[in-house]
PDB file of all heavy atoms in Angstrom:
ATOM      1  N   LEU A   7      27.574 158.696  98.454  1.00 44.00           N
ATOM      2  CA  LEU A   7      26.348 158.132  98.980  1.00 44.00           C
ATOM      3  C   LEU A   7      25.571 157.468  97.880  1.00 44.00           C
ATOM      4  O   LEU A   7      24.899 156.460  97.985  1.00 44.00           O
ATOM      5  CB  LEU A   7      25.523 159.196  99.751  1.00 44.00           C
ATOM      6  CG  LEU A   7      26.085 159.688 101.053  1.00 44.00           C
ATOM      7  CD1 LEU A   7      25.261 160.858 101.516  1.00 44.00           C
ATOM      8  CD2 LEU A   7      26.098 158.566 102.050  1.00 44.00           C
ATOM      9  N   LYS A  10      27.390 154.217  96.795  1.00 65.00           N
ATOM     10  CA  LYS A  10      27.684 153.204  97.834  1.00 65.00           C
ATOM     11  C   LYS A  10      26.638 152.113  97.742  1.00 65.00           C
ATOM     12  O   LYS A  10      25.479 152.367  97.780  1.00 65.00           O
ATOM     13  CB  LYS A  10      27.675 153.883  99.177  1.00 65.00           C
ATOM     14  CG  LYS A  10      28.104 152.914 100.299  1.00 65.00           C
ATOM     15  CD  LYS A  10      28.161 153.648 101.629  1.00 65.00           C
ATOM     16  CE  LYS A  10      28.596 152.712 102.676  1.00 65.00           C
ATOM     17  NZ  LYS A  10      28.593 153.378 104.051  1.00 65.00           N
ATOM     18  N   LEU A  14      23.279 144.210 101.424  1.00 73.00           N
ATOM     19  CA  LEU A  14      22.659 143.156 100.662  1.00 73.00           C
ATOM     20  C   LEU A  14      23.178 143.121  99.222  1.00 73.00           C
ATOM     21  O   LEU A  14      23.454 142.031  98.672  1.00 73.00           O
ATOM     22  CB  LEU A  14      21.142 143.365 100.604  1.00 73.00           C
ATOM     23  CG  LEU A  14      20.315 142.319  99.870  1.00 73.00           C
ATOM     24  CD1 LEU A  14      20.547 140.905 100.483  1.00 73.00           C
ATOM     25  CD2 LEU A  14      18.828 142.671  99.832  1.00 73.00           C
ATOM     26  N   ALA A  15      23.331 144.341  98.581  1.00 75.00           N
ATOM     27  CA  ALA A  15      23.862 144.330  97.257  1.00 75.00           C
ATOM     28  C   ALA A  15      25.289 143.817  97.190  1.00 75.00           C
ATOM     29  O   ALA A  15      25.662 143.112  96.218  1.00 75.00           O
ATOM     30  CB  ALA A  15      23.791 145.785  96.708  1.00 75.00           C
ATOM     31  N   TYR A  51      -3.628 110.983  86.366  1.00 79.00           N
ATOM     32  CA  TYR A  51      -3.943 112.342  86.003  1.00 79.00           C
ATOM     33  C   TYR A  51      -2.748 113.292  86.175  1.00 79.00           C
ATOM     34  O   TYR A  51      -2.876 114.456  86.010  1.00 79.00           O
ATOM     35  CB  TYR A  51      -5.117 112.831  86.854  1.00 79.00           C
ATOM     36  CG  TYR A  51      -6.382 112.078  86.767  1.00 79.00           C
ATOM     37  CD1 TYR A  51      -6.680 111.073  87.765  1.00 79.00           C
ATOM     38  CD2 TYR A  51      -7.231 112.239  85.713  1.00 79.00           C
ATOM     39  CE1 TYR A  51      -7.814 110.279  87.637  1.00 79.00           C
ATOM     40  CE2 TYR A  51      -8.320 111.374  85.575  1.00 79.00           C
ATOM     41  CZ  TYR A  51      -8.605 110.435  86.487  1.00 79.00           C
ATOM     42  OH  TYR A  51      -9.771 109.647  86.379  1.00 79.00           O
ATOM     43  N   LEU A  63       7.919 127.137  84.881  1.00 97.00           N
ATOM     44  CA  LEU A  63       8.262 127.913  86.081  1.00 97.00           C
ATOM     45  C   LEU A  63       9.767 127.959  86.284  1.00 97.00           C
ATOM     46  O   LEU A  63      10.309 128.954  86.720  1.00 97.00           O
ATOM     47  CB  LEU A  63       7.581 127.239  87.296  1.00 97.00           C
ATOM     48  CG  LEU A  63       6.015 127.371  87.346  1.00 97.00           C
ATOM     49  CD1 LEU A  63       5.550 126.641  88.575  1.00 97.00           C
ATOM     50  CD2 LEU A  63       5.601 128.869  87.358  1.00 97.00           C
ATOM     51  N   ARG A  69      15.038 133.285  84.509  1.00 96.00           N
ATOM     52  CA  ARG A  69      15.042 134.644  83.979  1.00 96.00           C
ATOM     53  C   ARG A  69      14.982 135.718  85.044  1.00 96.00           C
ATOM     54  O   ARG A  69      15.633 136.715  85.011  1.00 96.00           O
ATOM     55  CB  ARG A  69      13.866 134.787  82.988  1.00 96.00           C
ATOM     56  CG  ARG A  69      14.058 134.001  81.681  1.00 96.00           C
ATOM     57  CD  ARG A  69      12.789 134.126  80.863  1.00 96.00           C
ATOM     58  NE  ARG A  69      12.522 135.459  80.416  1.00 96.00           N
ATOM     59  CZ  ARG A  69      13.043 136.025  79.370  1.00 96.00           C
ATOM     60  NH1 ARG A  69      13.850 135.334  78.556  1.00 96.00           N
ATOM     61  NH2 ARG A  69      12.736 137.271  79.013  1.00 96.00           N
ATOM     62  N   VAL A  72      18.526 135.902  86.678  1.00 96.00           N
ATOM     63  CA  VAL A  72      19.524 136.615  85.799  1.00 96.00           C
ATOM     64  C   VAL A  72      19.223 138.127  85.775  1.00 96.00           C
ATOM     65  O   VAL A  72      20.162 138.900  85.907  1.00 96.00           O
ATOM     66  CB  VAL A  72      19.450 136.058  84.365  1.00 96.00           C
ATOM     67  CG1 VAL A  72      20.192 136.965  83.417  1.00 96.00           C
ATOM     68  CG2 VAL A  72      19.907 134.652  84.303  1.00 96.00           C
ATOM     69  N   ALA A  84      16.639 133.675  75.040  1.00 92.00           N
ATOM     70  CA  ALA A  84      15.769 134.418  74.225  1.00 92.00           C
ATOM     71  C   ALA A  84      15.087 133.427  73.228  1.00 92.00           C
ATOM     72  O   ALA A  84      15.616 132.469  72.765  1.00 92.00           O
ATOM     73  CB  ALA A  84      16.535 135.505  73.435  1.00 92.00           C
ATOM     74  N   GLN A 117      23.625  93.646  71.612  1.00 93.00           N
ATOM     75  CA  GLN A 117      22.933  92.745  70.737  1.00 93.00           C
ATOM     76  C   GLN A 117      21.552  93.297  70.386  1.00 93.00           C
ATOM     77  O   GLN A 117      20.727  93.445  71.248  1.00 93.00           O
ATOM     78  CB  GLN A 117      22.812  91.373  71.433  1.00 93.00           C
ATOM     79  CG  GLN A 117      22.076  90.305  70.563  1.00 93.00           C
ATOM     80  CD  GLN A 117      22.846  89.892  69.344  1.00 93.00           C
ATOM     81  OE1 GLN A 117      24.077  89.694  69.446  1.00 93.00           O
ATOM     82  NE2 GLN A 117      22.220  89.819  68.212  1.00 93.00           N
ATOM     83  N   LEU A 173      29.407 114.818  89.812  1.00 95.00           N
ATOM     84  CA  LEU A 173      29.230 114.478  91.231  1.00 95.00           C
ATOM     85  C   LEU A 173      27.779 114.556  91.606  1.00 95.00           C
ATOM     86  O   LEU A 173      27.334 113.921  92.595  1.00 95.00           O
ATOM     87  CB  LEU A 173      30.070 115.275  92.146  1.00 95.00           C
ATOM     88  CG  LEU A 173      31.586 115.053  92.019  1.00 95.00           C
ATOM     89  CD1 LEU A 173      32.338 115.991  92.924  1.00 95.00           C
ATOM     90  CD2 LEU A 173      31.965 113.584  92.270  1.00 95.00           C
ATOM     91  N   GLN A 202      30.548 128.537  73.098  1.00 93.00           N
ATOM     92  CA  GLN A 202      30.638 128.793  71.669  1.00 93.00           C
ATOM     93  C   GLN A 202      29.432 129.587  71.139  1.00 93.00           C
ATOM     94  O   GLN A 202      29.593 130.516  70.387  1.00 93.00           O
ATOM     95  CB  GLN A 202      30.780 127.506  70.878  1.00 93.00           C
ATOM     96  CG  GLN A 202      30.965 127.708  69.397  1.00 93.00           C
ATOM     97  CD  GLN A 202      30.987 126.384  68.655  1.00 93.00           C
ATOM     98  OE1 GLN A 202      30.251 125.505  68.965  1.00 93.00           O
ATOM     99  NE2 GLN A 202      31.829 126.337  67.658  1.00 93.00           N
ATOM    100  N   GLY A 211      18.733 120.970  74.007  1.00 97.00           N
ATOM    101  CA  GLY A 211      18.410 120.037  73.002  1.00 97.00           C
ATOM    102  C   GLY A 211      19.365 118.787  73.050  1.00 97.00           C
ATOM    103  O   GLY A 211      18.834 117.633  72.858  1.00 97.00           O
ATOM    104  N   ASN A 217      19.260 111.759  76.365  1.00 96.00           N
ATOM    105  CA  ASN A 217      18.514 110.966  77.349  1.00 96.00           C
ATOM    106  C   ASN A 217      17.338 110.245  76.666  1.00 96.00           C
ATOM    107  O   ASN A 217      17.057 109.075  76.939  1.00 96.00           O
ATOM    108  CB  ASN A 217      17.949 111.897  78.483  1.00 96.00           C
ATOM    109  CG  ASN A 217      19.002 112.238  79.476  1.00 96.00           C
ATOM    110  OD1 ASN A 217      20.041 111.746  79.486  1.00 96.00           O
ATOM    111  ND2 ASN A 217      18.681 113.264  80.240  1.00 96.00           N
ATOM    112  N   SER A 225      16.079 101.629  74.513  1.00 91.00           N
ATOM    113  CA  SER A 225      15.561 100.965  75.690  1.00 91.00           C
ATOM    114  C   SER A 225      16.626 100.618  76.720  1.00 91.00           C
ATOM    115  O   SER A 225      16.646  99.495  77.288  1.00 91.00           O
ATOM    116  CB  SER A 225      14.833  99.649  75.237  1.00 91.00           C
ATOM    117  OG  SER A 225      13.890  99.907  74.257  1.00 91.00           O
ATOM    118  N   SER A 226      17.513 101.521  76.950  1.00 92.00           N
ATOM    119  CA  SER A 226      18.699 101.267  77.794  1.00 92.00           C
ATOM    120  C   SER A 226      18.660 102.181  79.023  1.00 92.00           C
ATOM    121  O   SER A 226      17.950 103.198  79.122  1.00 92.00           O
ATOM    122  CB  SER A 226      19.959 101.529  77.002  1.00 92.00           C
ATOM    123  OG  SER A 226      21.109 101.089  77.713  1.00 92.00           O
ATOM    124  N   VAL A 228      19.611 104.928  81.732  1.00 90.00           N
ATOM    125  CA  VAL A 228      20.186 106.257  81.649  1.00 90.00           C
ATOM    126  C   VAL A 228      20.629 106.689  83.061  1.00 90.00           C
ATOM    127  O   VAL A 228      19.766 106.865  83.973  1.00 90.00           O
ATOM    128  CB  VAL A 228      19.135 107.258  81.138  1.00 90.00           C
ATOM    129  CG1 VAL A 228      19.765 108.686  81.099  1.00 90.00           C
ATOM    130  CG2 VAL A 228      18.708 106.877  79.736  1.00 90.00           C
ATOM    131  N   LEU A 238      13.514 100.169  70.180  1.00 91.00           N
ATOM    132  CA  LEU A 238      14.319  99.034  69.774  1.00 91.00           C
ATOM    133  C   LEU A 238      14.559  98.073  70.971  1.00 91.00           C
ATOM    134  O   LEU A 238      14.619  98.484  72.079  1.00 91.00           O
ATOM    135  CB  LEU A 238      15.715  99.529  69.314  1.00 91.00           C
ATOM    136  CG  LEU A 238      15.726 100.546  68.183  1.00 91.00           C
ATOM    137  CD1 LEU A 238      17.193 100.963  67.848  1.00 91.00           C
ATOM    138  CD2 LEU A 238      15.026 100.062  66.920  1.00 91.00           C
ATOM    139  N   ARG A 239      14.555  96.801  70.589  1.00 90.00           N
ATOM    140  CA  ARG A 239      14.850  95.765  71.620  1.00 90.00           C
ATOM    141  C   ARG A 239      16.364  95.341  71.434  1.00 90.00           C
ATOM    142  O   ARG A 239      16.789  95.061  70.323  1.00 90.00           O
ATOM    143  CB  ARG A 239      13.976  94.550  71.420  1.00 90.00           C
ATOM    144  CG  ARG A 239      12.488  94.809  71.692  1.00 90.00           C
ATOM    145  CD  ARG A 239      11.724  93.462  71.809  1.00 90.00           C
ATOM    146  NE  ARG A 239      11.927  92.597  70.651  1.00 90.00           N
ATOM    147  CZ  ARG A 239      11.206  92.616  69.555  1.00 90.00           C
ATOM    148  NH1 ARG A 239      10.232  93.546  69.416  1.00 90.00           N
ATOM    149  NH2 ARG A 239      11.414  91.815  68.571  1.00 90.00           N
ATOM    150  N   ALA A 257      28.569 105.155  81.637  1.00 94.00           N
ATOM    151  CA  ALA A 257      29.753 104.718  82.372  1.00 94.00           C
ATOM    152  C   ALA A 257      30.579 103.851  81.516  1.00 94.00           C
ATOM    153  O   ALA A 257      31.394 103.031  82.049  1.00 94.00           O
ATOM    154  CB  ALA A 257      29.384 104.046  83.705  1.00 94.00           C
ATOM    155  N   LEU A 277      37.103 128.146  72.443  1.00 87.00           N
ATOM    156  CA  LEU A 277      38.186 128.934  73.033  1.00 87.00           C
ATOM    157  C   LEU A 277      38.846 129.794  71.930  1.00 87.00           C
ATOM    158  O   LEU A 277      39.274 130.923  72.164  1.00 87.00           O
ATOM    159  CB  LEU A 277      39.218 128.084  73.719  1.00 87.00           C
ATOM    160  CG  LEU A 277      38.685 127.370  74.969  1.00 87.00           C
ATOM    161  CD1 LEU A 277      39.818 126.433  75.527  1.00 87.00           C
ATOM    162  CD2 LEU A 277      38.330 128.336  76.045  1.00 87.00           C
TER     163      LEU A 277
END
Side-chain angles (χ1 to χ4, degrees):
L7 289 173
K10 186 178 180 180
L14 180 60
Y51 302 99
L63 293 176
R69 290 174 63 87
V72 170
Q117 181 66 46
L173 293 177
Q202 184 184 39
N217 285 348
S225 309
S226 190
V228 180
L238 304 180
R239 296 194 304 273
L277 292 176

